[in-house]
PDB file of all heavy atoms in Angstrom:
ATOM      1  N   VAL N   1       0.841  -1.190   0.012  1.00  0.00           N
ATOM      2  CA  VAL N   1       0.000  -0.004  -0.007  1.00  0.00           C
ATOM      3  C   VAL N   1       0.881   1.270   0.006  1.00  0.00           C
ATOM      4  O   VAL N   1       0.654   2.177  -0.777  1.00  0.00           O
ATOM      5  CB  VAL N   1      -0.946   0.014   1.239  1.00  0.00           C
ATOM      6  CG1 VAL N   1      -1.692   1.338   1.308  1.00  0.00           C
ATOM      7  CG2 VAL N   1      -1.906  -1.139   1.171  1.00  0.00           C
ATOM      8  N   MET N   2       1.870   1.284   0.874  1.00  0.00           N
ATOM      9  CA  MET N   2       2.672   2.463   0.964  1.00  0.00           C
ATOM     10  C   MET N   2       3.528   2.710  -0.303  1.00  0.00           C
ATOM     11  O   MET N   2       3.621   3.843  -0.749  1.00  0.00           O
ATOM     12  CB  MET N   2       3.615   2.353   2.177  1.00  0.00           C
ATOM     13  CG  MET N   2       2.860   2.433   3.514  1.00  0.00           C
ATOM     14  SD  MET N   2       3.921   2.502   4.991  1.00  0.00           S
ATOM     15  CE  MET N   2       4.476   0.804   5.087  1.00  0.00           C
ATOM     16  N   ALA N   3       4.042   1.652  -0.868  1.00  0.00           N
ATOM     17  CA  ALA N   3       4.803   1.768  -2.088  1.00  0.00           C
ATOM     18  C   ALA N   3       3.927   2.243  -3.259  1.00  0.00           C
ATOM     19  O   ALA N   3       4.310   3.080  -4.062  1.00  0.00           O
ATOM     20  CB  ALA N   3       5.472   0.421  -2.441  1.00  0.00           C
ATOM     21  N   THR N   4       2.679   1.714  -3.304  1.00  0.00           N
ATOM     22  CA  THR N   4       1.783   2.138  -4.381  1.00  0.00           C
ATOM     23  C   THR N   4       1.416   3.594  -4.227  1.00  0.00           C
ATOM     24  O   THR N   4       1.356   4.349  -5.234  1.00  0.00           O
ATOM     25  CB  THR N   4       0.480   1.267  -4.302  1.00  0.00           C
ATOM     26  OG1 THR N   4       0.859  -0.104  -4.452  1.00  0.00           O
ATOM     27  CG2 THR N   4      -0.479   1.683  -5.418  1.00  0.00           C
ATOM     28  N   ALA N   5       1.153   4.065  -3.000  1.00  0.00           N
ATOM     29  CA  ALA N   5       0.806   5.483  -2.780  1.00  0.00           C
ATOM     30  C   ALA N   5       1.969   6.364  -3.166  1.00  0.00           C
ATOM     31  O   ALA N   5       1.780   7.430  -3.822  1.00  0.00           O
ATOM     32  CB  ALA N   5       0.419   5.669  -1.315  1.00  0.00           C
ATOM     33  N   LEU N   6       3.204   6.005  -2.790  1.00  0.00           N
ATOM     34  CA  LEU N   6       4.366   6.809  -3.101  1.00  0.00           C
ATOM     35  C   LEU N   6       4.583   6.856  -4.630  1.00  0.00           C
ATOM     36  O   LEU N   6       4.937   7.940  -5.163  1.00  0.00           O
ATOM     37  CB  LEU N   6       5.606   6.277  -2.396  1.00  0.00           C
ATOM     38  CG  LEU N   6       5.645   6.494  -0.882  1.00  0.00           C
ATOM     39  CD1 LEU N   6       6.778   5.734  -0.250  1.00  0.00           C
ATOM     40  CD2 LEU N   6       5.814   8.028  -0.577  1.00  0.00           C
ATOM     41  N   CYS N   7       4.425   5.743  -5.286  1.00  0.00           N
ATOM     42  CA  CYS N   7       4.692   5.701  -6.750  1.00  0.00           C
ATOM     43  C   CYS N   7       3.535   6.421  -7.499  1.00  0.00           C
ATOM     44  O   CYS N   7       3.794   7.034  -8.544  1.00  0.00           O
ATOM     45  CB  CYS N   7       4.773   4.260  -7.224  1.00  0.00           C
ATOM     46  SG  CYS N   7       6.235   3.396  -6.639  1.00  0.00           S
ATOM     47  N   ALA N   8       2.307   6.352  -6.948  1.00  0.00           N
ATOM     48  CA  ALA N   8       1.182   6.971  -7.676  1.00  0.00           C
ATOM     49  C   ALA N   8       1.206   8.470  -7.532  1.00  0.00           C
ATOM     50  O   ALA N   8       0.730   9.182  -8.426  1.00  0.00           O
ATOM     51  CB  ALA N   8      -0.138   6.429  -7.108  1.00  0.00           C
ATOM     52  N   GLY N   9       1.759   8.992  -6.419  1.00  0.00           N
ATOM     53  CA  GLY N   9       1.727  10.428  -6.154  1.00  0.00           C
ATOM     54  C   GLY N   9       2.141  11.297  -7.322  1.00  0.00           C
ATOM     55  O   GLY N   9       1.392  12.192  -7.744  1.00  0.00           O
ATOM     56  N   PRO N  10       3.327  11.091  -7.870  1.00  0.00           N
ATOM     57  CA  PRO N  10       3.787  12.000  -8.962  1.00  0.00           C
ATOM     58  C   PRO N  10       2.954  11.853 -10.255  1.00  0.00           C
ATOM     59  O   PRO N  10       2.998  12.767 -11.132  1.00  0.00           O
ATOM     60  CB  PRO N  10       5.249  11.500  -9.222  1.00  0.00           C
ATOM     61  CG  PRO N  10       5.645  10.794  -7.970  1.00  0.00           C
ATOM     62  CD  PRO N  10       4.367  10.164  -7.440  1.00  0.00           C
ATOM     63  N   LEU N  11       2.190  10.771 -10.363  1.00  0.00           N
ATOM     64  CA  LEU N  11       1.430  10.574 -11.600  1.00  0.00           C
ATOM     65  C   LEU N  11       0.027  11.126 -11.520  1.00  0.00           C
ATOM     66  O   LEU N  11      -0.654  11.235 -12.542  1.00  0.00           O
ATOM     67  CB  LEU N  11       1.359   9.047 -11.915  1.00  0.00           C
ATOM     68  CG  LEU N  11       2.695   8.316 -12.009  1.00  0.00           C
ATOM     69  CD1 LEU N  11       2.446   6.820 -12.234  1.00  0.00           C
ATOM     70  CD2 LEU N  11       3.512   8.897 -13.147  1.00  0.00           C
ATOM     71  N   MET N  12      -0.470  11.478 -10.319  1.00  0.00           N
ATOM     72  CA  MET N  12      -1.823  11.947 -10.179  1.00  0.00           C
ATOM     73  C   MET N  12      -1.953  13.374 -10.654  1.00  0.00           C
ATOM     74  O   MET N  12      -0.993  14.119 -10.739  1.00  0.00           O
ATOM     75  CB  MET N  12      -2.270  11.775  -8.715  1.00  0.00           C
ATOM     76  CG  MET N  12      -2.489  10.342  -8.330  1.00  0.00           C
ATOM     77  SD  MET N  12      -3.212  10.162  -6.652  1.00  0.00           S
ATOM     78  CE  MET N  12      -1.720  10.379  -5.663  1.00  0.00           C
ATOM     79  N   LEU N  13      -3.202  13.737 -10.959  1.00  0.00           N
ATOM     80  CA  LEU N  13      -3.455  15.077 -11.505  1.00  0.00           C
ATOM     81  C   LEU N  13      -3.657  16.132 -10.445  1.00  0.00           C
ATOM     82  O   LEU N  13      -4.151  15.802  -9.339  1.00  0.00           O
ATOM     83  CB  LEU N  13      -4.791  15.017 -12.366  1.00  0.00           C
ATOM     84  CG  LEU N  13      -4.714  14.094 -13.607  1.00  0.00           C
ATOM     85  CD1 LEU N  13      -6.077  14.113 -14.292  1.00  0.00           C
ATOM     86  CD2 LEU N  13      -3.614  14.502 -14.568  1.00  0.00           C
ATOM     87  N   PRO N  14      -3.285  17.339 -10.733  1.00  0.00           N
ATOM     88  CA  PRO N  14      -3.593  18.469  -9.799  1.00  0.00           C
ATOM     89  C   PRO N  14      -5.092  18.678  -9.788  1.00  0.00           C
ATOM     90  O   PRO N  14      -5.812  18.411 -10.770  1.00  0.00           O
ATOM     91  CB  PRO N  14      -2.840  19.641 -10.370  1.00  0.00           C
ATOM     92  CG  PRO N  14      -2.738  19.326 -11.823  1.00  0.00           C
ATOM     93  CD  PRO N  14      -2.584  17.820 -11.944  1.00  0.00           C
ATOM     94  N   ASP N  15      -5.587  19.219  -8.660  1.00  0.00           N
ATOM     95  CA  ASP N  15      -7.026  19.458  -8.509  1.00  0.00           C
ATOM     96  C   ASP N  15      -7.429  20.684  -9.291  1.00  0.00           C
ATOM     97  O   ASP N  15      -6.703  21.653  -9.498  1.00  0.00           O
ATOM     98  CB  ASP N  15      -7.372  19.650  -7.042  1.00  0.00           C
ATOM     99  CG  ASP N  15      -7.002  18.447  -6.202  1.00  0.00           C
ATOM    100  OD1 ASP N  15      -7.278  17.332  -6.667  1.00  0.00           O
ATOM    101  OD2 ASP N  15      -6.416  18.662  -5.135  1.00  0.00           O
ATOM    102  N   HIS N  16      -8.699  20.611  -9.769  1.00  0.00           N
ATOM    103  CA  HIS N  16      -9.284  21.786 -10.433  1.00  0.00           C
ATOM    104  C   HIS N  16      -9.839  22.735  -9.386  1.00  0.00           C
ATOM    105  O   HIS N  16     -10.268  22.343  -8.314  1.00  0.00           O
ATOM    106  CB  HIS N  16     -10.444  21.340 -11.355  1.00  0.00           C
ATOM    107  CG  HIS N  16      -9.966  20.692 -12.589  1.00  0.00           C
ATOM    108  ND1 HIS N  16      -9.086  21.243 -13.439  1.00  0.00           N
ATOM    109  CD2 HIS N  16     -10.249  19.459 -13.131  1.00  0.00           C
ATOM    110  CE1 HIS N  16      -8.841  20.429 -14.444  1.00  0.00           C
ATOM    111  NE2 HIS N  16      -9.557  19.367 -14.282  1.00  0.00           N
ATOM    112  N   VAL N  17      -9.867  23.988  -9.732  1.00  0.00           N
ATOM    113  CA  VAL N  17     -10.555  25.003  -8.924  1.00  0.00           C
ATOM    114  C   VAL N  17     -11.460  25.819  -9.824  1.00  0.00           C
ATOM    115  O   VAL N  17     -11.259  25.851 -11.046  1.00  0.00           O
ATOM    116  CB  VAL N  17      -9.518  25.966  -8.266  1.00  0.00           C
ATOM    117  CG1 VAL N  17      -8.749  25.223  -7.200  1.00  0.00           C
ATOM    118  CG2 VAL N  17      -8.560  26.547  -9.274  1.00  0.00           C
ATOM    119  N   HIS N  18     -12.531  26.442  -9.289  1.00  0.00           N
ATOM    120  CA  HIS N  18     -13.460  27.129 -10.132  1.00  0.00           C
ATOM    121  C   HIS N  18     -13.441  28.637  -9.877  1.00  0.00           C
ATOM    122  O   HIS N  18     -12.803  29.110  -8.915  1.00  0.00           O
ATOM    123  CB  HIS N  18     -14.857  26.577 -10.068  1.00  0.00           C
ATOM    124  CG  HIS N  18     -15.507  26.736  -8.737  1.00  0.00           C
ATOM    125  ND1 HIS N  18     -15.763  27.927  -8.142  1.00  0.00           N
ATOM    126  CD2 HIS N  18     -15.951  25.799  -7.844  1.00  0.00           C
ATOM    127  CE1 HIS N  18     -16.392  27.740  -6.979  1.00  0.00           C
ATOM    128  NE2 HIS N  18     -16.485  26.455  -6.766  1.00  0.00           N
ATOM    129  N   ALA N  19     -14.102  29.357 -10.704  1.00  0.00           N
ATOM    130  CA  ALA N  19     -13.950  30.805 -10.707  1.00  0.00           C
ATOM    131  C   ALA N  19     -14.386  31.471  -9.402  1.00  0.00           C
ATOM    132  O   ALA N  19     -15.349  31.089  -8.783  1.00  0.00           O
ATOM    133  CB  ALA N  19     -14.820  31.389 -11.847  1.00  0.00           C
ATOM    134  N   GLU N  20     -13.608  32.474  -8.997  1.00  0.00           N
ATOM    135  CA  GLU N  20     -13.848  33.150  -7.748  1.00  0.00           C
ATOM    136  C   GLU N  20     -15.225  33.804  -7.679  1.00  0.00           C
ATOM    137  O   GLU N  20     -15.686  34.398  -8.661  1.00  0.00           O
ATOM    138  CB  GLU N  20     -12.762  34.200  -7.495  1.00  0.00           C
ATOM    139  CG  GLU N  20     -12.850  34.817  -6.115  1.00  0.00           C
ATOM    140  CD  GLU N  20     -11.628  35.678  -5.787  1.00  0.00           C
ATOM    141  OE1 GLU N  20     -10.699  35.662  -6.602  1.00  0.00           O
ATOM    142  OE2 GLU N  20     -11.662  36.339  -4.741  1.00  0.00           O
ATOM    143  N   GLY N  21     -15.882  33.736  -6.544  1.00  0.00           N
ATOM    144  CA  GLY N  21     -17.159  34.329  -6.354  1.00  0.00           C
ATOM    145  C   GLY N  21     -18.351  33.474  -6.746  1.00  0.00           C
ATOM    146  O   GLY N  21     -19.458  33.909  -6.650  1.00  0.00           O
ATOM    147  N   GLU N  22     -18.079  32.275  -7.228  1.00  0.00           N
ATOM    148  CA  GLU N  22     -19.198  31.432  -7.639  1.00  0.00           C
ATOM    149  C   GLU N  22     -19.976  30.910  -6.423  1.00  0.00           C
ATOM    150  O   GLU N  22     -19.406  30.258  -5.535  1.00  0.00           O
ATOM    151  CB  GLU N  22     -18.657  30.246  -8.418  1.00  0.00           C
ATOM    152  CG  GLU N  22     -19.762  29.343  -8.893  1.00  0.00           C
ATOM    153  CD  GLU N  22     -19.199  28.145  -9.648  1.00  0.00           C
ATOM    154  OE1 GLU N  22     -18.410  27.437  -9.116  1.00  0.00           O
ATOM    155  OE2 GLU N  22     -19.594  28.009 -10.856  1.00  0.00           O
ATOM    156  N   PRO N  23     -21.268  31.206  -6.368  1.00  0.00           N
ATOM    157  CA  PRO N  23     -22.039  30.773  -5.211  1.00  0.00           C
ATOM    158  C   PRO N  23     -22.523  29.367  -5.355  1.00  0.00           C
ATOM    159  O   PRO N  23     -22.579  28.808  -6.450  1.00  0.00           O
ATOM    160  CB  PRO N  23     -23.239  31.761  -5.215  1.00  0.00           C
ATOM    161  CG  PRO N  23     -23.439  32.046  -6.669  1.00  0.00           C
ATOM    162  CD  PRO N  23     -22.055  32.021  -7.316  1.00  0.00           C
ATOM    163  N   ALA N  24     -22.897  28.751  -4.225  1.00  0.00           N
ATOM    164  CA  ALA N  24     -23.510  27.433  -4.279  1.00  0.00           C
ATOM    165  C   ALA N  24     -24.949  27.617  -4.803  1.00  0.00           C
ATOM    166  O   ALA N  24     -25.578  28.642  -4.593  1.00  0.00           O
ATOM    167  CB  ALA N  24     -23.533  26.829  -2.891  1.00  0.00           C
ATOM    168  N   HIS N  25     -25.428  26.566  -5.450  1.00  0.00           N
ATOM    169  CA  HIS N  25     -26.850  26.606  -5.909  1.00  0.00           C
ATOM    170  C   HIS N  25     -27.744  26.529  -4.676  1.00  0.00           C
ATOM    171  O   HIS N  25     -27.401  25.896  -3.710  1.00  0.00           O
ATOM    172  CB  HIS N  25     -27.080  25.424  -6.864  1.00  0.00           C
ATOM    173  CG  HIS N  25     -28.372  25.527  -7.599  1.00  0.00           C
ATOM    174  ND1 HIS N  25     -29.572  25.076  -7.067  1.00  0.00           N
ATOM    175  CD2 HIS N  25     -28.642  25.994  -8.834  1.00  0.00           C
ATOM    176  CE1 HIS N  25     -30.513  25.276  -7.934  1.00  0.00           C
ATOM    177  NE2 HIS N  25     -30.002  25.836  -9.026  1.00  0.00           N
ATOM    178  N   PRO N  26     -28.924  27.195  -4.708  1.00  0.00           N
ATOM    179  CA  PRO N  26     -29.807  27.108  -3.530  1.00  0.00           C
ATOM    180  C   PRO N  26     -30.196  25.704  -3.086  1.00  0.00           C
ATOM    181  O   PRO N  26     -30.489  25.498  -1.909  1.00  0.00           O
ATOM    182  CB  PRO N  26     -31.032  27.937  -4.031  1.00  0.00           C
ATOM    183  CG  PRO N  26     -30.494  28.813  -5.064  1.00  0.00           C
ATOM    184  CD  PRO N  26     -29.410  28.063  -5.753  1.00  0.00           C
ATOM    185  N   THR N  27     -30.169  24.771  -4.027  1.00  0.00           N
ATOM    186  CA  THR N  27     -30.570  23.392  -3.635  1.00  0.00           C
ATOM    187  C   THR N  27     -29.396  22.510  -3.274  1.00  0.00           C
ATOM    188  O   THR N  27     -29.604  21.325  -3.040  1.00  0.00           O
ATOM    189  CB  THR N  27     -31.323  22.781  -4.842  1.00  0.00           C
ATOM    190  OG1 THR N  27     -30.452  22.630  -5.975  1.00  0.00           O
ATOM    191  CG2 THR N  27     -32.552  23.592  -5.234  1.00  0.00           C
ATOM    192  N   THR N  28     -28.171  23.055  -3.235  1.00  0.00           N
ATOM    193  CA  THR N  28     -26.991  22.210  -3.039  1.00  0.00           C
ATOM    194  C   THR N  28     -27.041  21.439  -1.707  1.00  0.00           C
ATOM    195  O   THR N  28     -26.773  20.253  -1.627  1.00  0.00           O
ATOM    196  CB  THR N  28     -25.730  23.069  -3.090  1.00  0.00           C
ATOM    197  OG1 THR N  28     -25.539  23.536  -4.451  1.00  0.00           O
ATOM    198  CG2 THR N  28     -24.519  22.264  -2.723  1.00  0.00           C
ATOM    199  N   GLY N  29     -27.394  22.178  -0.636  1.00  0.00           N
ATOM    200  CA  GLY N  29     -27.454  21.514   0.696  1.00  0.00           C
ATOM    201  C   GLY N  29     -28.452  20.372   0.727  1.00  0.00           C
ATOM    202  O   GLY N  29     -28.159  19.288   1.229  1.00  0.00           O
ATOM    203  N   ARG N  30     -29.625  20.616   0.148  1.00  0.00           N
ATOM    204  CA  ARG N  30     -30.676  19.587   0.139  1.00  0.00           C
ATOM    205  C   ARG N  30     -30.231  18.419  -0.733  1.00  0.00           C
ATOM    206  O   ARG N  30     -30.424  17.249  -0.370  1.00  0.00           O
ATOM    207  CB  ARG N  30     -31.993  20.168  -0.394  1.00  0.00           C
ATOM    208  CG  ARG N  30     -33.128  19.173  -0.368  1.00  0.00           C
ATOM    209  CD  ARG N  30     -34.379  19.808  -0.954  1.00  0.00           C
ATOM    210  NE  ARG N  30     -34.234  20.021  -2.373  1.00  0.00           N
ATOM    211  CZ  ARG N  30     -35.150  20.598  -3.136  1.00  0.00           C
ATOM    212  NH1 ARG N  30     -36.254  21.092  -2.586  1.00  0.00           N
ATOM    213  NH2 ARG N  30     -34.917  20.762  -4.424  1.00  0.00           N
ATOM    214  N   THR N  31     -29.587  18.705  -1.874  1.00  0.00           N
ATOM    215  CA  THR N  31     -29.137  17.647  -2.747  1.00  0.00           C
ATOM    216  C   THR N  31     -28.104  16.776  -2.059  1.00  0.00           C
ATOM    217  O   THR N  31     -28.159  15.553  -2.155  1.00  0.00           O
ATOM    218  CB  THR N  31     -28.520  18.246  -4.049  1.00  0.00           C
ATOM    219  OG1 THR N  31     -29.502  19.000  -4.715  1.00  0.00           O
ATOM    220  CG2 THR N  31     -28.021  17.154  -4.966  1.00  0.00           C
ATOM    221  N   LEU N  32     -27.161  17.397  -1.335  1.00  0.00           N
ATOM    222  CA  LEU N  32     -26.169  16.622  -0.647  1.00  0.00           C
ATOM    223  C   LEU N  32     -26.779  15.703   0.409  1.00  0.00           C
ATOM    224  O   LEU N  32     -26.361  14.571   0.565  1.00  0.00           O
ATOM    225  CB  LEU N  32     -25.149  17.595  -0.021  1.00  0.00           C
ATOM    226  CG  LEU N  32     -23.781  17.025   0.379  1.00  0.00           C
ATOM    227  CD1 LEU N  32     -23.081  16.420  -0.792  1.00  0.00           C
ATOM    228  CD2 LEU N  32     -22.904  18.107   1.003  1.00  0.00           C
ATOM    229  N   PHE N  33     -27.769  16.227   1.106  1.00  0.00           N
ATOM    230  CA  PHE N  33     -28.452  15.423   2.109  1.00  0.00           C
ATOM    231  C   PHE N  33     -29.168  14.215   1.461  1.00  0.00           C
ATOM    232  O   PHE N  33     -29.054  13.066   1.922  1.00  0.00           O
ATOM    233  CB  PHE N  33     -29.466  16.212   2.893  1.00  0.00           C
ATOM    234  CG  PHE N  33     -30.339  15.425   3.806  1.00  0.00           C
ATOM    235  CD1 PHE N  33     -29.825  14.987   5.043  1.00  0.00           C
ATOM    236  CD2 PHE N  33     -31.637  15.083   3.470  1.00  0.00           C
ATOM    237  CE1 PHE N  33     -30.615  14.203   5.891  1.00  0.00           C
ATOM    238  CE2 PHE N  33     -32.422  14.335   4.315  1.00  0.00           C
ATOM    239  CZ  PHE N  33     -31.918  13.883   5.520  1.00  0.00           C
ATOM    240  N   VAL N  34     -29.849  14.483   0.329  1.00  0.00           N
ATOM    241  CA  VAL N  34     -30.585  13.366  -0.333  1.00  0.00           C
ATOM    242  C   VAL N  34     -29.580  12.349  -0.890  1.00  0.00           C
ATOM    243  O   VAL N  34     -29.830  11.144  -0.807  1.00  0.00           O
ATOM    244  CB  VAL N  34     -31.465  13.952  -1.461  1.00  0.00           C
ATOM    245  CG1 VAL N  34     -32.118  12.826  -2.285  1.00  0.00           C
ATOM    246  CG2 VAL N  34     -32.560  14.835  -0.888  1.00  0.00           C
TER     247      VAL N  34
END
């Protein structure tokens, strides 16, 4: 497990981020609960 994690690290993708100021949709909280 540890060797796989160490070897996989450099190959994984950087995370995406989205545009500043973007609000959550009004139904997001309810959707997450459902």
Side-chain angles (χ1 to χ4, degrees):
V1 174
M2 291 187 285
T4 302
L6 287 170
C7 292
L11 304 177
M12 287 187 280
L13 297 178
D15 300 315
H16 286 305
V17 290
H18 65 61
E20 186 170 354
E22 180 180 59
H25 192 275
T27 64
T28 292
R30 185 183 68 185
T31 300
L32 198 57
F33 173 77
V34 174

